[in-house]
Structures are given as C-alpha cells and as structure tokens.
C-alpha cells in the first residue's frame, strides 16, 4: 500500500505533525462459512427427509445444520459474520430435517410392524386352515374306515355303485372227500352277494374272501367235491346280481366268531370287513 506523502516542508524521517492520523486500520473479513454450511446441510437434510427411502440419511446433515446454524447466529450477533439470515434459515431447515428423520423412522417402524402382523396373521390363518383340513381329512378317513367295518348281513356300497353283502356264516357239512378240514374242526359257509348298482361293468379279479377266526388266525379254505362252492369271477354287468359261496374250516375253540374281508379287486377297491358270531 502506498504511504501518503508528508506535508510540505516536513522531513520524511521526523515525527508526524500534530493532527496527522495516518492510514485507516485494516478491517477483519466476515466469518460466514458456518452460516453457508448450515444452509447447505439444512437443505440436504430436508430433501433426504422427504425421500421415503432415504430418511435414515437425513438426520446427520440436519443435525450438523442445526449446530452450524446456532454457531453462525452467535457469530452474527458478535459482529463476526454478516449472514445472519442464512444461518437462521440453515438452523430452521436442520430442525425440520431432524423432525422428518424422526417421523420417517416412526412411519417405517409402524409400517414394518403392520406388515409383520399381517404376515403373521396370514401364516397363522394358513396353519389353522391346514390343521382344519388335516382334521377334516382325518375325520373323513376315520368315517370311511368305520363305514368299511360292518356286521354280517350289512351291505357296503363302493363309489361306483357296487354293493357287497356278506351273510351270516352257516354250518357246512363237507362230503367224504375234503381238503383243508381237520376232523374236529367246525366247517362254515360264507355267502357273498354282489349287486352292480352302477353304470359300468365290474370285473372280479380277486373274489376270494379272507377269513380269520375268533383268535385272529387265518381260517383254512375248505375244498370238497360237492360242487356247492362258487367263486365270484368275471364281469358283473350293471343291474346284475351274483352270489359267491365259500367254505372254511375253523378250530373248535375259535369257531364261535369270525371275520371276513372281501374286495372285488385289491388293486382297485379297498377291503370291507364283516364280523360277527357264527352261531
């Protein structure tokens, strides 16, 4: 900086004359950086807070804007800064950004809780439905199982309309030439009546009953030469009736009660079971 010339006649190396004030003092630069930072960070905090998926990023710039705005206002009050309005705006925006961050957090937690509750309710409902379905299936299975267990003389009807009835066993006297019958055993005759109540023919492939005595032991099929026995075989047309007759030998001590299982075809039909006394 160029120094002013001394008055005329004054020695440049002598003392200044009376009343000489010299050059003006240097002015300090305003400290406006914090106010600017507060404004920029406040804007960033508000923008991030308004973005639904970015609210969690807004709290830091908003907090810094709040701090810088407070410090910037302090500088402005002391005369160290000239951008009081900018600092105040940054402070306000920082506070708004913090509120948006908190609100976004509360909103997100609420929504996540609602979604979790909905998913849990759907899972519980699905589990309840599955249990109800399993219970219904079990009940239906138990009912079907009970329906297949009958007393002698009762009729079991298959889904295709085929009706099977096993009559109460009757005493049977084999002729002199017999197989499968011990001397002291009791011989009985089992009669199976089949009626085709459906609309399609029925093929008897395994029309031989399975018989067990009162002890649960398999009874032996009795075969003689009398010609009184008849096996259900071949096709049974709709509306037709067929009768099968079979003789079995039971031990004397287990001959008072028996069980008969029968199925027209074990690969296609489930067995039905008839039980009861032989007397």
């Amino acid at each position: 900086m160029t120094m002013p010339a001394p008055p005329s006649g004054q020695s440049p190396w002598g003392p200044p004359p009376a009343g000489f004030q010299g050059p003006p003092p240097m002015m300090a630069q305003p400290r406006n950086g914090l106010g600017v930072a507060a404004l920029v960070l406040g804007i960033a905090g508000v923008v991030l807070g308004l973005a639904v998926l970015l609210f969690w990023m807004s709290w830091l710039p908003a907090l810094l804007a709040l701090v810088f705005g407070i410090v910037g206002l302090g500088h402005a009050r002391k005369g160290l800064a000239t951008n009081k309005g900018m600092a105040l705006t940054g402070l306000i925006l920082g506070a708004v950004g913090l509120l948006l961050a908190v609100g976004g957090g509360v909103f997100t937690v609420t929504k996540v809780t609602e979604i979790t509750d909905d998913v849990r309710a759907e899972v519980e409902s699905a589990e309840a439905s599955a249990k109800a379905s399993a219970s219904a299936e079990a009940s239906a299975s138990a009912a079907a199982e009970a329906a297949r267990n009958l007393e002698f003389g009762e009729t079991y009807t298959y889904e295709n309309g085929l009706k099977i009835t096993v009559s109460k066993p009757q005493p049977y006297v084999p002729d002199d030439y017999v197989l499968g019958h011990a001397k002291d055993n009791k011989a009985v005759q089992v009669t199976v009546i089949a009626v085709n109540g459906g609309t399609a023919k029925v093929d008897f492939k395994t029309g031989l009953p399975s018989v067990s005595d009162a002890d649960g032991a398999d009874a032996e099929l009795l075969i003689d030469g009398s010609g009184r026995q008849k096996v259900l075989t071949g096709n049974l047309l709709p509306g037709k009736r067929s009768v099968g007759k079979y003789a079995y030998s039971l031990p004397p001590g287990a001959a008072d009660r028996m069980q008969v299982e029968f199925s027209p075809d074990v690969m296609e039909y489930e067995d039905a079971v008839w039980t009861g006394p032989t007397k």
Side-chain angles (χ1 to χ4, degrees):
M1 180 181 293
T2 304
M3 299 295 292
S8 176
Q10 175 68 39
S11 170
W13 308 111
F20 181 73
Q21 297 180 354
M26 298 291 293
M27 297 298 294
Q29 294 295 324
R31 299 166 63 180
N32 293 333
L34 291 178
V36 175
L39 179 61
V40 174
L41 291 171
I43 294 173
V46 171
V47 171
L48 292 174
L50 291 174
V52 177
L53 299 179
L54 299 178
F55 73 90
W56 56 274
M57 299 175 59
S58 66
W59 70 271
L60 182 57
L63 179 61
L64 292 176
L66 189 65
V67 174
F68 291 168
I70 292 173
V71 177
L73 283 177
H75 288 175
R77 291 192 187 97
K78 296 176 182 179
L80 302 177
T82 59
N83 58 348
K84 178 180 179 180
M86 188 177 293
L88 179 60
T89 303
L91 186 151
I92 295 173
L93 291 176
V96 173
L98 285 177
L99 292 176
L100 289 174
V102 173
V106 172
F107 175 80
T108 300
V109 171
T110 302
K111 285 299 181 181
V112 170
T113 302
E114 291 178 357
I115 293 173
T116 302
D117 292 341
D118 290 342
V119 171
R120 183 182 297 109
E122 291 179 0
V123 171
E124 291 177 353
S125 177
E127 290 178 350
S129 298
K131 290 181 180 179
S133 177
S135 177
E137 290 179 2
S139 299
S141 178
E145 182 68 22
R148 290 198 302 272
N149 288 270
L150 307 100
E151 297 289 332
F152 288 129
E154 295 181 340
T155 300
Y156 180 74
T157 304
Y158 290 95
E159 292 182 356
N160 63 354
L162 176 64
K163 300 178 180 180
I164 302 294
T165 305
V166 176
S167 301
K168 181 179 179 180
Q170 300 296 319
Y172 182 84
V173 180
D175 63 9
D176 295 336
Y177 301 97
V178 60
L179 296 175
H181 181 62
K183 180 180 179 180
D184 296 328
N185 280 10
K186 178 181 179 179
V188 295
Q189 179 175 278
V190 174
T191 302
V192 179
I193 303 171
V195 178
N196 189 353
T199 58
K201 67 180 181 179
V202 175
D203 187 13
F204 286 89
K205 295 181 180 179
T206 54
L208 189 66
S210 175
V211 178
S212 57
D213 59 27
D215 294 333
D218 291 338
E220 191 169 358
L221 179 66
L222 185 156
I223 301 175
D224 63 7
S226 66
R228 288 173 289 174
Q229 300 185 53
K230 179 184 177 182
V231 179
L232 287 173
T233 58
N235 296 326
L236 183 62
L237 298 177
K240 297 299 181 179
R241 179 177 182 270
S242 183
V243 178
K245 295 183 178 182
Y246 313 86
Y248 289 87
S249 179
L250 288 78
D256 59 338
R257 189 174 182 85
M258 61 187 295
Q259 174 179 289
V260 178
E261 295 184 32
F262 182 81
S263 172
D265 183 353
V266 294
M267 300 299 293
E268 183 176 354
Y269 300 88
E270 293 183 332
D271 284 341
V273 180
W274 288 261
T275 58
T278 59
K279 297 180 181 179

